[in-house]
Amino acid sequence: MSPSVPLQEMIRAIRSARTQCEERGVIQRECAAIRAQFRQADNGGRSHNLAKLLYVHMLGYPAHFGQMECVRMIASPRYSEKRVGYLGAMMLLDEKQDASLLITNSIKNDLSHSNQYVQSLALCTLACMGSAEMCRDLAPEIDRLLRASNSYIKKKAALCAVHIVRKVHELGELFAPAARSLLSEKNHGVLHGAVVLIIELCERNPETLERFRKTVPDLVQIMKGLVLSGYSPEHDVAGISDPFLQVRILRLLRILGHNNEGASDAMNDLLAQVATNTDSTKTVGNAVLYETVLTVLDIKSESGLRVLAVNILGRFLLNNDRNIRYIAMTSLQKIVGTDHNAVQRHRGTIVDCLKDQDASVKRRALELSLALVSATNIRSMMKELLIFLSSCPVELKSHAASGIFNAAERYAPSQRWHIDTILHVLTTAGGDVRDETVPNLIQLITNASELHCYTVHKLYRALLIDISTQSLVQVSCWCIGEYGDLLLRGECQETEPVQVTEDDVLDALETVLQSHMSSPATRGFALTATMKLSTRITDNVDRIRSVVSIYGSCIDVELQQRAVEYNALFKKYDHMRAAVLERMPVIEKNSPGHTNGESTGEALKETQGSRMKPTEPKQLPQPANQVCDLLGLLGGSEETLQPGPFAAPGLLTNTASTAGGDLLDLLGDLEPEPLTPAPIVPVYDKDGVALTLSCEKQSDVALTVTLTASNSTDADISSFTLQAAVPKSVQLHMKAPSGDSLPARGAAKVTQMVVLNNPNKVNLKMKVRISYSSRGSTFQDTVQIDSFPGL
Amino acid sequence: MIKAILIFNNHGKPRLIRFYQYFAEDMQQQIIRETFHLVSKRDDNVCNFLEGGSLIGGSDYKLIYRHYATLYFVFCVDSSESELGILDLIQVFVETLDKCFENVCELDLIFHMDKVHYILQEVVMGGMVLETNMNEIVAQVELQNRMEKSEGGLSAAPARAVSAVKNMNLPEMPRNINIGDINIKVPSLSPF
C-alpha cells in the first residue's frame, strides 16, 4: 500500500487528472489506501488521512467509512487529531447515524478540558450536530460555561445554548437567567451571542418574552453607547461601531416592543437617534438603517417616527444600488398591509422597477405591485402589469398571471374590460395559467349577456390566429359553440363584425379537432361546439353529422364516447336535439357546474338549469327523475295530520331530511338571503299556554316555521304535542320538537320547527292542533294560522 | 439562521461546502449544482440576493452571494438574518482569509481546505454568526495553529524532517568544495 501521502500531494494528483474517469481512478486508489490505513491500529498520519477523506467528500464521493475514524480521532489526546476528528464529525455525522452517539462522552470530557481550544471544538461540534439526547445530557455543562469562563468560551457557549433550545424547547428555562446576566458583559462577541440567545428564548416562549422586556433599558443603553461613542478602532467597520451588534440588538428590540406600549415608548428616542445619526453612504450604514426602519414599523411607535421610517424606505427605493432597492421593496411588502397609503405614494417607482433587468428586483416589484392594486388605479396598473407579463421571465409568468386575474376579479371597472384583460393574458401567457381559468372565464362570459356578440367575435379572431394555447382555444370553442349564431349573423355593435360563412366556422373547429397541438380536453370542447352548432346553423348540418360519425371510431375513448352519443342524438333522439342543445343558462358562481373544469364543456345535458349537478353524458334524462323522487321522499302526505315526534318514523323522516338536505347542498349554494330578524307573532294564548310563530324564508318555495310554546300557569304541563296540517299542494315536514314538557311559570319553552315546501305558491295556511295534559287532565285545542309574518 | 455556506469557482467546482442542516450526500451535490446554475446566470451589476432555489428550502430561504474574481461565495439564509448584514459578513470572511493566507487566491483555498474550515468555524458556528471582528478571528486562528504546531510527536516528525529538508537552503551550500589547487609537494626521493 502506498505510503501516506499528505493532503496537498493528493490534491495535486487529483487536479492533474485530465478526465473525469482519471480523477475517479485516482480517488478510488486514495480511498482504498485510506481505508487500509484506518484499519491499522496505530498510525502516524491519521489526521492527514481524515483530511484527505474530507476533501474527497467535498468533491462528492462517498466517505461514510470514515465515520468510526472520526470517533477515534476525537478521543485522541492530541490537539491536531482532535481538530480533524471534530471537523470530520461535523461533516460526516449527523444525529441519524449511530456513530454520533459514541462521541457524546468525548464531547462531555472535552467540555471540561483545560485547554480552551479543545473546549471550543467540543462546543462547535455540539452546536452543529448535537442531537436532542446529547443536548439534554450536556445542557448543565453549557450553563456552567455560560457563567464562568473566559469570553472566548462564553460566546461559543451562548450559541451552543441556542442550538440546544432549538432542539429541546423545554431547556429554554434553564438558560434564561444566564442569558440575562450576560447582557452586562463588555466583550462584543459575548454580547452578540447573548442577544442571539435571548432572541431565540423570546421567540419560543411568551412568558420569557415578558420577563425580558425588563431588559429594554439595558439594551437601549448599550445601543446608545455604540451609536454615540467616538471612533473605536477595534469595532469599527467603515465608520460605524460594530454594525453587526447594532443590527442584532435592533432585532431584539423589535421583538420586545412588538405589541407593547411600554417597551415601545422606551425605545422611541433611541430609534429616532439611530435613524438620524447613521451614515447611509455605505452598505453598513444602510444595514443599520434598514433594521431600524423595520423595528420602527413593527412596534407601537409614534406616528412621526413611522413617517420618518417610510421616508427612509422611499430614499432607499431611489438608491442606485440594486441591493438597497431590493431590500426596500422587501420591507415595503411587509408594511403594505398596515400603512397602505404610505406605500401608495411610491407606486410610480415600484412600477418602474418592473422594468429592471434584475430578476430578483422584478420579482419583488411584481409582488408589491399586485399588493398595491386598488379600485382607483386599476386601469393604469393593469396596463403596466400586462406589459410586464409579455416580457417577464418564465418563472414569474404563472404567478403574474394569477395575480392579474385576482386583481381583475376584485376591481374590474366593467365586464368588457374584465373580459378583455383575461383574453389578453390568455394570448400572452396562456400556457402558464391555472386550470380554473377556463371555467371562470366561461362563467364570466355567460354573465355578460350583452357582450356575447363582442366576445365571440374576438375569440373567433384569436382562434384563427393561433391554436396552440390550450386554454384560449377551449374558451373560443365553447363560445363559438354557444354563440355561433351571433357570429354568423354578421353584425356587432362593439367591434367590427367579421363576415363568415358557416363553412368557415366549421373549418376553424375542425382544424382544432385535427391539430396535433390540441390536447384531448380541447378536442372534446371542439367536438361539443361542432355539435351545438347543428341547431344554430341551417345549411351544413350534414357536414356536422359526418364529422360526428367519423369520430365515433376515434381512438381516444372520451372523444369516441361523445361522438357516439351525439350520433344517437342525430338518429334516435332527433326530436330532443333542439331542446338539449339550446343556449345554456347563466352559470351561478360557486355552483358545482362552475368549478368542475371540464364538465362545463359538456353543457348539453343540463336541462334542469344550473342547480343541477352536471352529470355524465350517459345518463340522459334520468337525473331529473331522480331528484323528483327524492323530493317525493321529503314531502309528507298532504293534508294528513303529521304527528310530530314518533320513534321510528321520526328517525326515518330525519334521515330523509338529512339525505334531502345533502342533496339540496349538492345542488349548489342555495344562497340564503340576508336574515332580517324574524318577527315573532303570537298565534294562540289560552289557559296560560301561549304559542308564538316566527318564520324564515329559505327560498322562493321553502319556508321554515318555528313554533314556540310557553306555560305561564302554576302547574307543569307534560305530553305537550303539536300537530299541523296544510293545504293539498304544500308539503309539510315537522322536525322533532325540543321537548314535550313545559315547566310552570315559563321556566322553559318548547320549540318545534316545521319545514314547508310550497312549489305551487298557493296561499299558505296552517292548522295547528295543540294537545297536552296538565294537573292530571288532558286538553286539546286547534288554531288556524292564516298569515305568516315575513312571507 | 444560515443554512449553508458554499464556495465554488466559475465552473462550478466546489472549493468549500458547509451545511448547517443535514442533507444526504447526493442531495448536497445537487444543491451545489443548482446553486451554481442560479448564480452563474447573474450579471455582475444585478443585486446580490436570489430567491427561488427549490431544493434548499422553499419560500423562506434566500441566497446571498458575492463574486470575487474566480470564486462565488454563497450563503443560504432564512429571514431571521439581515440580508445586508450577511453581505458584510461575507466581506469580513474574505478579508479574514486574506489576512490568514497573505493575499489569498483560489489555490490557497484548494490546498488548505481544512484551514479554511477552521477559520470559518471562528466566524459562523452552528448556522449562527459567532464573531465579526476580523482581528479577533485572526488572533484566535493564529493561536490554534500555533498549538497544533507545538504538538510535536511522531507523526509530526517526518513532516518536520521533510520540512526541515525543504527549508534547507541548498543553493547556498557549496556544491563543489573547491579547496583550490592543492600543491602537494612530493619530495623527490633519491633512488636507492
Side-chain angles (χ1 to χ4, degrees):
Chain A
M1 82 209 111
S2 56
S4 102
V5 176
L7 177 61
Q8 279 82 11
E9 294 292 327
M10 183 190 82
I11 297 178
R12 220 166 273 138
I14 293 177
R15 279 167 63 78
S16 61
R18 267 161 297 154
T19 64
Q20 183 78 0
C21 189
E22 237 182 279
E23 178 182 302
R24 260 194 300 247
V26 172
I27 291 183
Q28 264 169 7
R29 275 195 299 276
E30 282 296 331
C31 283
I34 294 172
R35 258 195 297 254
Q37 303 247 324
F38 282 170
R39 268 182 251 130
Q40 277 187 335
D42 190 22
N43 186 337
R46 278 159 76 187
S47 54
H48 294 297
N49 286 328
L50 196 52
K52 279 190 272 181
L53 190 61
L54 291 176
Y55 183 81
V56 162
H57 170 77
M58 178 181 80
L59 292 179
Y61 295 90
H64 41 269
F65 55 86
Q67 288 172 4
M68 283 314 292
E69 186 67 12
C70 291
V71 175
R72 252 177 267 140
M73 301 269 285
I74 289 175
S76 143
R78 299 166 52 86
Y79 178 69
S80 53
E81 292 184 356
K82 263 199 213 286
R83 216 181 186 192
V84 180
Y86 273 118
L87 182 62
M90 283 188 270
M91 307 270 291
L92 300 176
L93 289 177
D94 85 302
E95 52 190 45
K96 296 191 188 58
Q97 257 84 318
D98 298 326
S100 63
L101 291 171
L102 299 172
I103 63 175
T104 314
N105 209 27
S106 302
I107 294 184
K108 195 174 199 157
N109 292 337
D110 284 336
L111 279 177
S112 2
H113 203 274
S114 52
N115 186 331
Q116 64 170 356
Y117 297 111
V118 175
Q119 281 180 314
S120 84
L121 283 176
L123 283 169
C124 194
T125 311
L126 186 59
C128 280
M129 41 83 66
S131 66
E133 293 82 43
M134 283 164 74
C135 293
R136 254 186 273 263
D137 273 342
L138 300 169
E141 272 297 305
I142 306 295
D143 191 44
R144 186 183 62 81
L145 287 173
L146 269 180
R147 289 170 201 279
S149 52
N150 61 23
S151 51
Y152 178 68
I153 294 296
K154 267 192 196 158
K155 74 182 180 200
K156 294 208 171 186
L159 290 188
C160 200
V162 176
H163 176 87
I164 292 180
V165 170
R166 281 195 190 137
K167 282 276 175 193
V168 184
H169 303 325
E170 301 82 51
L171 288 173
E173 280 306 308
L174 175 63
F175 293 116
R180 179 78 183 78
S181 60
L182 281 178
L183 274 182
S184 41
E185 292 276 329
K186 292 278 169 264
N187 181 305
H188 281 206
V190 180
L191 266 179
H192 186 270
V195 173
V196 175
L197 179 57
I198 296 176
I199 290 178
E200 186 69 28
L201 291 174
C202 291
E203 277 176 351
R204 298 252 164 219
N205 190 339
E207 287 151 18
T208 327
L209 179 64
E210 282 302 320
R211 284 213 308 250
F212 274 108
R213 282 228 173 88
K214 301 191 202 95
T215 64
V216 169
D218 298 325
L219 292 167
V220 169
Q221 205 57 38
I222 299 174
M223 270 301 282
K224 277 213 171 94
L226 287 173
V227 172
L228 297 175
S229 69
Y231 174 74
S232 94
E234 51 185 64
H235 296 129
D236 185 84
V237 180
I240 309 229
S241 184
D242 206 344
F244 295 98
L245 185 59
Q246 288 193 29
V247 165
R248 242 356 126 174
I249 295 183
L250 283 168
R251 193 171 276 257
L252 178 56
L253 286 175
R254 187 186 334 161
I255 295 175
L256 292 177
H258 185 67
N259 268 339
N260 184 298
E261 294 280 347
S264 309
D265 283 334
M267 313 175 197
N268 269 325
D269 286 334
L270 170 73
L271 292 172
Q273 223 163 20
V274 176
T276 39
N277 279 1
T278 313
D279 174 22
S280 64
T281 49
K282 298 265 175 61
T283 315
V284 279
N286 284 327
V288 176
L289 267 180
Y290 173 56
E291 203 68 28
T292 316
V293 165
L294 286 181
T295 306
V296 166
L297 293 171
D298 208 27
I299 63 174
K300 292 203 183 295
S301 51
E302 47 188 36
S303 58
L305 203 50
R306 284 187 98 86
V307 169
L308 178 62
V310 178
N311 285 345
I312 294 179
L313 281 182
R315 254 190 5 240
F316 278 177
L317 262 184
L318 300 167
N319 196 312
N320 278 331
D321 186 353
R322 280 207 175 85
N323 289 334
I324 309 286
R325 263 187 282 166
Y326 176 90
I327 58 162
M329 284 199 279
T330 315
S331 33
L332 284 174
Q333 182 86 34
K334 292 194 187 125
I335 62 168
V336 75
T338 45
D339 295 79
H340 191 92
N341 294 332
V343 184
Q344 281 280 5
R345 250 178 276 138
H346 301 286
R347 200 180 72 233
T349 329
I350 294 170
V351 167
D352 279 336
C353 286
L354 277 174
K355 307 192 186 84
D356 198 301
Q357 291 166 328
D358 183 344
S360 301
V361 172
K362 269 195 188 149
R363 185 191 287 259
R364 287 272 139 241
L366 174 67
E367 302 262 3
L368 211 44
S369 308
L370 288 174
L372 284 178
V373 172
S374 76
T376 42
N377 57 25
I378 178 73
R379 280 189 198 266
S380 48
M381 286 295 278
M382 195 51 81
K383 228 182 289 182
E384 296 289 338
L385 286 171
L386 289 175
I387 296 175
F388 172 71
L389 188 63
S390 43
S391 61
C392 84
V394 173
E395 59 267 12
L396 290 178
K397 261 201 168 137
S398 73
H399 184 68
S402 42
I404 290 177
F405 283 150
N406 281 339
E409 206 172 293
R410 267 188 293 163
Y411 301 114
S414 74
Q415 279 183 324
R416 178 171 158 170
W417 181 92
H418 196 172
I419 292 180
D420 277 342
T421 312
I422 299 189
L423 287 181
H424 191 137
V425 174
L426 283 179
T427 30
T428 36
D432 297 300
V433 297
R434 286 206 301 254
D435 294 331
E436 305 93 64
T437 319
V438 172
N440 282 345
L441 181 55
I442 290 179
Q443 185 258 331
L444 200 63
I445 293 176
T446 53
N447 269 323
S449 43
E450 59 288 352
L451 290 172
H452 286 164
C453 193
Y454 167 75
T455 317
V456 72
H457 274 92
K458 273 202 99 160
L459 286 170
Y460 179 71
R461 286 207 184 89
L463 191 65
L464 287 181
I465 296 175
D466 174 31
I467 57 169
S468 58
T469 318
Q470 296 306 302
S471 37
L472 189 59
V473 172
Q474 284 173 7
V475 178
S476 304
C477 290
W478 190 89
C479 274
I480 294 177
E482 273 294 303
Y483 310 119
D485 46 340
L486 295 174
L487 188 64
L488 292 165
R489 212 180 294 162
E491 58 185 40
C492 179
Q493 287 129 341
E494 272 122 38
T495 179
E496 202 184 293
V498 51
Q499 305 298 334
V500 281
T501 63
E502 296 171 357
D503 272 324
D504 293 332
V505 178
L506 288 174
D507 280 340
L509 288 175
E510 263 197 71
T511 324
V512 174
L513 259 178
Q514 290 163 355
S515 160
H516 293 298
M517 290 189 279
S518 306
S519 71
T522 314
R523 293 168 87 196
F525 269 88
L527 187 62
T528 310
T530 316
M531 187 60 193
K532 280 194 219 172
L533 282 178
S534 71
T535 46
R536 293 169 180 47
I537 63 176
T538 44
D539 297 330
N540 285 1
V541 185
D542 287 333
R543 181 174 169 183
I544 295 182
R545 207 189 280 224
S546 62
V547 166
V548 164
S549 57
I550 289 175
Y551 276 89
S553 41
C554 173
I555 289 182
D556 185 334
V557 177
E558 173 76 25
L559 229 46
Q560 187 189 81
Q561 180 178 323
R562 285 178 202 228
V564 166
E565 284 157 10
Y566 296 163
N567 234 351
L569 209 55
F570 268 122
K571 297 209 173 86
K572 238 170 84 177
Y573 295 98
D574 203 29
H575 52 281
M576 291 176 67
R577 189 160 51 92
V580 167
L581 296 176
E582 71 179 10
R583 189 87 92 205
M584 259 189 77
V586 173
I587 306 176
E588 275 169 24
K589 209 146 195 227
N590 294 328
S591 65
H594 165 249
T595 48
N596 251 342
E598 238 193 271
S599 328
T600 35
E602 306 172 29
L604 300 194
K605 314 304 175 192
E606 300 195 18
T607 49
Q608 284 269 327
S610 59
R611 292 254 241 85
M612 184 76 147
K613 185 174 173 169
T615 54
E616 294 306 310
K618 279 196 232 116
Q619 308 158 10
L620 271 174
Q622 280 130 17
N625 298 337
Q626 269 177 1
V627 174
C628 289
D629 285 340
L630 280 169
L631 284 176
L633 255 184
L634 282 182
S637 42
E638 287 92 78
E639 231 206 2
T640 54
L641 290 174
Q642 277 260 349
F646 275 12
L651 268 166
L652 193 66
T653 42
N654 273 338
T655 44
S657 78
T658 40
D662 284 346
L663 188 65
L664 286 172
D665 284 342
L666 274 177
L667 290 180
D669 234 356
L670 286 178
E671 309 245 3
E673 268 128 68
L675 296 172
T676 48
I680 301 179
V681 169
V683 293
Y684 173 82
D685 195 349
K686 208 155 128 187
D687 296 336
V689 175
L691 195 65
T692 61
L693 173 106
S694 75
C695 41
E696 270 167 42
K697 246 175 106 102
Q698 303 294 349
S699 76
D700 271 353
V701 297
L703 181 69
T704 307
V705 172
T706 312
L707 296 161
T708 315
S710 59
N711 170 19
S712 54
T713 63
D714 282 353
D716 291 355
I717 287 179
S718 56
S719 322
F720 185 86
T721 49
L722 288 170
Q723 293 164 333
V726 285
K728 211 172 193 158
S729 58
V730 180
Q731 291 146 4
L732 168 82
H733 172 64
M734 294 190 83
K735 302 230 168 129
S738 62
D740 71 343
S741 62
L742 285 167
R745 278 175 234 107
K749 296 192 198 277
V750 164
T751 32
Q752 167 100 52
M753 286 210 3
V754 181
V755 178
L756 296 171
N757 198 359
N758 188 2
N760 295 350
K761 297 207 206 232
V762 302
N763 209 358
L764 209 53
K765 294 189 224 276
M766 191 160 82
K767 218 187 259 185
V768 178
R769 185 195 286 176
I770 307 165
S771 53
Y772 60 90
S773 52
S774 164
R775 286 183 246 248
S777 45
T778 53
F779 293 85
Q780 251 193 24
D781 208 345
T782 328
V783 63
Q784 167 112 353
I785 304 171
D786 290 321
S787 67
F788 290 79
L791 233 188
Chain B
M1 167 169 164
I2 301 174
K3 204 167 183 187
I5 297 180
L6 309 171
I7 305 179
F8 42 76
N9 72 354
N10 287 345
H11 303 291
K13 286 205 88 82
R15 294 301 174 213
L16 181 119
I17 58 172
R18 191 63 196 262
F19 286 89
Y20 292 102
Q21 189 177 345
Y22 176 67
F23 287 104
E25 253 101 58
D26 45 350
M27 212 30 194
Q28 289 185 357
Q29 292 298 316
Q30 217 174 332
I31 290 172
I32 297 173
R33 275 196 297 272
E34 188 193 75
T35 314
F36 171 64
H37 276 305
L38 284 172
V39 160
S40 57
K41 277 193 294 200
R42 310 271 289 172
D43 247 351
D44 268 338
N45 55 352
V46 299
C47 75
N48 297 94
F49 309 116
L50 254 183
E51 291 167 65
S54 54
L55 281 182
I56 199 154
S59 55
D60 198 15
Y61 288 89
K62 289 197 183 71
L63 295 171
I64 301 179
Y65 71 96
R66 276 196 114 129
H67 190 184
Y68 293 92
T70 58
L71 288 175
Y72 284 100
F73 285 71
V74 183
F75 278 44
C76 178
V77 303
D78 71 0
S79 55
S80 72
E81 299 286 336
S82 156
E83 292 97 340
L84 293 179
I86 294 289
L87 267 186
D88 287 330
L89 188 69
I90 300 181
Q91 184 67 22
V92 166
F93 180 45
V94 172
E95 279 177 20
T96 313
L97 287 178
D98 198 36
K99 267 222 172 118
C100 290
F101 282 104
E102 327 269 306
N103 292 324
V104 66
C105 65
E106 190 180 341
L107 284 177
D108 289 317
L109 294 190
I110 298 173
F111 284 102
H112 298 283
M113 184 198 86
D114 49 342
K115 296 215 174 30
V116 179
H117 268 289
Y118 299 142
I119 297 174
L120 184 59
Q121 252 166 244
E122 293 298 320
V123 183
V124 175
M125 187 171 108
M128 294 166 279
V129 178
L130 175 63
E131 177 65 62
T132 54
N133 185 330
M134 203 167 58
N135 299 325
E136 175 73 19
I137 302 171
V138 173
Q140 295 297 339
V141 169
E142 281 298 304
L143 285 172
Q144 291 181 18
N145 286 341
R146 215 174 294 159
M147 239 195 77
E148 185 166 346
K149 284 206 185 96
S150 71
E151 243 178 19
L154 208 56
S155 77
R160 283 212 286 180
V162 167
S163 60
V165 168
K166 271 204 187 126
N167 290 339
M168 234 175 359
N169 209 341
L170 285 171
E172 283 194 9
M173 291 190 75
R175 274 186 215 273
N176 324 326
I177 302 182
N178 202 348
I179 311 180
D181 261 356
I182 302 180
N183 215 342
I184 301 180
K185 281 215 162 71
V186 180
S188 53
L189 296 169
S190 56
F192 291 125

